Amino acid sequence: MRHNRPKSRVLAFGSAGFAAAALIAGAVVAPAANAQTGQTAGHGQDRAAAQGAALTAARAAKAGINWQDCPTDWGFAKPVQCGWVTVPIDYTKPNGKKIKLAVDRAVSTGTAAERQGALVYNPGGPGGSGMRFPLRVTTKNPLWVNTSKAYDFVGFDPRGVGHSAPISCIDPQEFVKAPKADPVPDSTADKNAQRKLAREYADGCAERTGRTMLAQMTTPNTARDLDVIRAALGEKKLNYLGVSYGTYLGAVYGTLFPSHLRRMIVDSVVNPAQDNIWYEANLGQDVAFEGRWKDWEDWVAKNDAAFHLGTTRAAVQAKWLELRATAKKNPLGGVVGPAELLGFFQGAPYYDSSWVPVATAFSKYVAGDPQPLIDAASPDLSDTAGNISSENGNAVYTAVECTDAKWPTSWAKWDKDNTALNKQYPFLTWANAWMNLPCATWPVKQQSPVEVKTGKGLPPVLIVQSQRDAATPYAGAVDLHKRFKGSRLITEKDAGSHGVTGLVNPCINSRVDAYLLTGKLDAADFTCTPHATPVP
């Protein structure tokens, strides 16, 4: 499942109807990085890529970025500025075919004496755009007012995303078309139909994107792109904020370029263990989503006076299963079946900000008004731009996770693992499996994940994590904390919203500010009480 689901509804290809997050194990240990250049001490490909990245960064430092007003149709008004950074598709061929990455910024609001450089952001995915990040400055977002005095806020579209040589795997209108088949299979025939869709999707990625680009859609290449952006910004060292999959990007960057980092915050952490990337990560997500789904159901039950969906978790779950069965038999409004319901209801375990809207639409449906739920869960075929964006995000998600690591190719393994998991954790398991199944028949060579570890010059990193996060389970933050020496872990206890640094919690907000403004971290790891629970 997607690490950091975009706020807009994402419907996956085929029958999954759902964007899911991450999986499997790479057997070969990636070489360690040289502290100064990101040069690897391993095999020739890695050495050549490191040299290509150093050469590209040196060129970018000379070229800089020609900042201008953003194109009108990008939706970023002044004072946000936009520009381009050129990178090779393949870093082992730095003089070969190139693409342009879109970047934007809002300059720091403080005095020259207060300025500390640029803060670069990635929101996750893979496939998420960071281009909205500078709006935190222009809208005077209260959580970021202090930091924006010191830093230019810089966003970018990673390779393959948005304006940065966007890739595609299927016709966008076909991608969002509904209703899709129920992701939970009733028979071998259902499973075979999903397998066929997954194979076709993988083939579509090769056809629509091209194998040359597809083979270079990896996290290490995006980390190299990040270092080129750093150089183009005129920054000797990178200040970075990564959320969700953006934490894995940060972990890989910190491994390849440890001495190029100044400050880094990672929020809602992907477990970077090689045997977790990416197959196992997705299985772990299925378990965590079930737990957070139950948290939401408990909250709905406590607020029965507002929602009238039952006074116990079991009562709320019974209503959910009834809704699912009804929509399977007769899709709501002709378009909302179980897959589309999941695409909407998954918002609740992801983000606390979705608790009230999801419960409200559910409540209205049960009270006899299905329209709000139909409107929320069905695709808008007239929104061609939004559909192109959704399809692109899913294509990048699939391309990066499938190319980053070696996935099981045996259907028997997928079937056994997901059948077993689904018995205890049915909310997400099969939808997530179908979302990732293209990786089993991936048409380009799959890489081995980087061994994330501390290299010479790595600064203290701030890790922020809620205890009950569904998309990136808590163990990931603990694992990265062990790997990055000198890092500090802030735990938001008894909370589970994904993306903690964007929430109002003074215990966390003040520590984020202190770190970015002064480099100061607590003497030891710290536990914060949870942010406020949503109120109906």
Side-chain angles (χ1 to χ4, degrees):
M1 117 161 263
R2 286 277 283 284
H3 280 300
N4 230 28
R5 165 181 167 268
K7 290 284 194 284
S8 60
R9 187 170 56 264
V10 176
L11 297 175
F13 68 94
S15 334
F18 179 111
L23 278 74
I24 177 175
V28 182
V29 173
N34 173 290
Q36 299 310 317
T37 62
Q39 180 172 329
T40 54
H43 55 73
Q45 285 287 101
D46 290 331
R47 274 198 301 274
Q51 288 159 357
L55 176 64
T56 306
R59 288 172 178 165
K62 277 187 193 158
I65 298 171
N66 178 22
W67 294 110
Q68 297 181 321
D69 292 344
C70 299
T72 314
D73 62 346
W74 288 18
F76 304 115
K78 289 191 220 185
V80 176
Q81 299 171 299
C82 289
W84 301 95
V85 175
T86 301
V87 297
I89 290 178
D90 181 349
Y91 276 96
T92 68
K93 299 171 184 168
N95 298 316
K97 194 170 177 191
K98 296 178 176 62
I99 56 173
K100 290 185 180 218
L101 306 178
V103 292
D104 67 345
R105 73 171 180 184
V107 298
S108 58
T109 60
T111 64
E114 286 176 297
R115 190 175 184 280
Q116 296 190 44
L119 176 64
V120 183
Y121 174 73
N122 179 272
S129 166
M131 298 283 280
R132 293 184 60 79
F133 183 58
L135 301 183
R136 296 188 188 183
V137 180
T138 59
T139 60
K140 298 184 170 56
N141 182 312
L143 293 184
W144 300 95
V145 164
N146 295 334
T147 314
S148 64
K149 287 177 186 168
Y151 293 94
D152 301 343
F153 278 26
V154 176
F156 72 105
D157 276 343
R159 59 171 52 210
V161 175
H163 306 293
S164 298
I167 69 166
S168 173
C169 293
I170 188 174
D171 175 77
Q173 295 296 96
E174 191 63 30
F175 174 74
V176 300
K177 208 159 72 178
K180 302 192 188 311
D182 184 349
V184 180
D186 289 325
S187 63
T188 302
D190 287 351
K191 292 176 182 176
N192 287 338
Q194 294 281 14
R195 291 173 67 194
K196 181 170 181 280
L197 287 168
R199 274 195 307 275
E200 288 169 355
Y201 186 83
D203 292 344
C205 293
E207 285 162 24
R208 291 174 72 95
T209 295
R211 288 170 191 267
T212 303
M213 180 73 172
L214 206 58
Q216 301 300 326
M217 288 293 298
T218 66
T219 302
N221 276 341
T222 305
R224 294 175 186 117
D225 293 344
L226 190 54
D227 199 58
V228 176
I229 290 170
R230 170 201 60 76
L233 289 166
E235 301 284 332
K236 294 285 181 220
K237 299 203 172 193
L238 177 73
N239 303 293
Y240 176 75
L241 170 61
V243 181
S244 197
Y245 165 79
T247 66
Y248 183 61
L249 175 59
V252 171
Y253 181 89
T255 301
L256 296 180
F257 304 98
S259 68
H260 294 190
L261 262 180
R262 179 174 177 266
R263 288 183 193 148
M264 178 160 77
I265 297 178
V266 287
D267 169 3
S268 306
V269 181
V270 172
N271 188 330
Q274 288 170 296
D275 61 3
N276 190 59
I277 303 296
W278 285 107
Y279 181 77
E280 292 295 334
N282 276 285
L283 300 181
Q285 212 176 31
D286 299 340
V287 175
F289 256 86
E290 197 73 32
R292 194 60 181 159
W293 171 249
K294 287 174 179 170
D295 290 350
W296 176 74
E297 289 184 321
D298 287 339
W299 174 84
V300 171
K302 274 184 198 146
N303 289 283
D304 185 60
F307 301 120
H308 313 294
L309 290 167
T311 56
T312 63
R313 179 201 298 169
V316 178
Q317 176 70 2
K319 287 226 170 31
W320 158 249
L321 294 176
E322 189 184 340
L323 167 62
R324 223 185 159 287
T326 301
K328 180 168 182 165
K329 204 169 177 184
N330 291 301
L332 316 181
V335 286
V336 177
E340 291 71 33
L341 286 175
L342 193 52
F344 174 62
F345 275 82
Q346 63 166 320
Y350 251 111
Y351 302 114
D352 290 8
S353 59
S354 293
W355 280 18
V356 173
V358 172
T360 301
F362 190 12
S363 173
K364 285 182 178 171
Y365 168 83
V366 169
D369 178 11
Q371 204 55 46
L373 182 54
I374 293 166
D375 292 343
S378 56
D380 178 359
L381 292 175
S382 70
D383 179 18
T384 50
N387 297 338
I388 287 168
S389 176
S390 289
E391 190 278 323
N392 168 242
N394 199 78
V396 174
Y397 163 81
T398 310
V400 172
E401 293 210 356
C402 295
T403 311
D404 259 359
K406 294 174 177 64
W407 289 69
T409 55
S410 153
W411 165 246
K413 176 168 178 57
W414 287 75
D415 193 20
K416 181 180 169 216
D417 289 349
N418 287 284
T419 299
L421 263 184
N422 183 68
K423 285 177 183 154
Q424 276 185 278
Y425 312 102
F427 179 73
L428 188 66
T429 297
W430 277 114
N432 212 1
W434 305 130
M435 169 132 193
N436 292 291
L437 191 58
C439 298
T441 58
W442 198 235
V444 298
K445 186 184 175 192
Q446 293 176 321
Q447 307 297 315
S448 297
V450 168
E451 184 192 2
V452 169
K453 59 183 179 182
T454 302
K456 189 179 173 188
L458 183 77
V461 170
L462 179 59
I463 302 168
V464 188
Q465 178 81 29
S466 67
Q467 202 176 30
R468 295 186 59 75
D469 190 314
T472 51
Y474 184 74
V478 175
D479 186 274
L480 183 62
H481 185 26
K482 286 178 186 160
R483 290 168 188 272
F484 275 176
K485 292 190 177 99
S487 62
R488 283 287 173 272
L489 171 60
I490 299 175
T491 301
E492 190 184 23
K493 195 173 185 223
D494 299 327
S497 202
H498 189 60
V500 180
T501 53
L503 301 172
V504 176
N505 186 333
C507 175
I508 293 166
N509 308 143
S510 60
R511 285 172 169 78
V512 167
D513 271 0
Y515 174 69
L516 287 173
L517 295 174
T518 70
K520 178 179 172 288
L521 289 169
D522 287 302
D525 295 340
F526 200 84
T527 299
C528 290
T529 53
H531 62 274
T533 306
V535 178

